[in-house]
Amino acid sequence: MKHDSIDNNMKIDELDKDILRQLSKSARTPFKDIAEVCNVSRAAIHQRVQRMIDNGVILGSMFIINPKSVGYMTCTYIGIQLEKGSYQEIVAKELEKIPEIVECHFTTGPYSMLVKLYARDNEHLLHVLRERIYQIDGVASTETLISLEQDFIREVPIELDEKARKRRKKKNE
């Protein structure tokens, strides 16, 4: 899923930011609760969320599964050097076929691409590297970094204009 398919003409106002901030805390928050926090109707929340989905601001919602709970004990980041930068799309399509790869980025710096991969253990990781990644035409070399521990994960910050929120609250009283 490419994240650059946003409608650049869409304006995100303070209410949209407030909604996004609430949803980023938990995508399961009922629209009724978000409406109360934002001081608008439930219908307004529904319409704005749908508009943000349609315009590529909201890319979806999902449950985040703890990889270790389903047997994936090793988290790695793999820097991939391509034979040529023009291979990026072809290699990305092949990498997408590997279910253990959960993220893929075209990057600047020492690597052409950076992927995040979960493996059951180091032996499984070695198998994925040798039998899947190294077999992709266009992959010149890789460097694997094993994550020892994930300290935190979060969404991008949504900056709010608290004055705008207070004005909206007064207006609706």
Side-chain angles (χ1 to χ4, degrees):
M1 169 191 307
K2 291 201 177 194
H3 290 229
D4 57 0
S5 58
I6 186 170
D7 178 355
N8 290 324
N9 295 320
M10 184 180 167
K11 301 289 185 236
I12 307 272
D13 65 14
E14 291 302 313
L15 178 55
D16 292 329
K17 289 179 184 178
D18 208 358
I19 294 167
L20 290 170
R21 189 170 185 204
Q22 299 307 313
L23 288 173
S24 70
K25 291 177 188 174
S26 172
R28 296 181 69 183
T29 304
F31 285 178
K32 172 184 75 64
D33 296 351
I34 296 172
E36 286 175 17
V37 170
C38 295
N39 298 304
V40 296
S41 71
R42 200 172 3 173
I45 300 297
H46 178 75
Q47 290 169 350
R48 282 178 176 255
V49 167
Q50 190 59 53
R51 180 176 53 88
M52 289 189 281
I53 290 169
D54 293 344
N55 287 291
V57 175
I58 296 174
L59 299 173
S61 61
M62 66 174 108
F63 290 101
I64 299 171
I65 299 166
N66 178 345
K68 290 181 179 182
S69 71
V70 290
Y72 290 91
M73 307 310 271
T74 303
C75 173
T76 64
Y77 294 88
I78 302 171
I80 300 173
Q81 274 291 350
L82 301 178
E83 291 172 7
K84 290 195 280 186
S86 60
Y87 289 158
Q88 181 260 333
E89 284 188 40
I90 296 164
V91 171
K93 286 180 183 170
E94 293 302 311
L95 291 170
E96 193 171 16
K97 295 176 185 176
I98 302 171
E100 293 88 350
I101 295 176
V102 297
E103 288 184 36
C104 178
H105 302 269
F106 189 45
T107 62
T108 62
Y111 313 115
S112 306
M113 302 178 85
L114 185 69
V115 299
K116 182 177 182 180
L117 179 150
Y118 285 101
R120 290 186 295 278
D121 51 34
N122 288 352
E123 187 176 318
H124 180 215
L125 171 61
L126 187 58
H127 173 79
V128 173
L129 283 166
R130 286 183 176 162
E131 304 301 322
R132 303 294 304 273
I133 295 174
Y134 295 164
Q135 302 305 314
I136 298 172
D137 289 335
V139 171
S141 65
T142 66
E143 183 174 356
T144 303
L145 306 167
I146 294 177
S147 171
L148 299 175
E149 181 177 64
Q150 180 181 32
D151 290 318
F152 64 88
I153 185 171
R154 64 176 163 213
E155 287 290 326
V156 295
I158 308 294
E159 301 296 325
L160 291 180
D161 178 351
E162 288 300 323
K163 290 178 185 175
R165 180 188 266 188
K166 288 177 184 175
R167 283 193 303 271
R168 201 169 54 243
K169 186 174 182 175
K170 280 185 180 181
K171 182 178 148 184
N172 290 326
E173 287 178 346

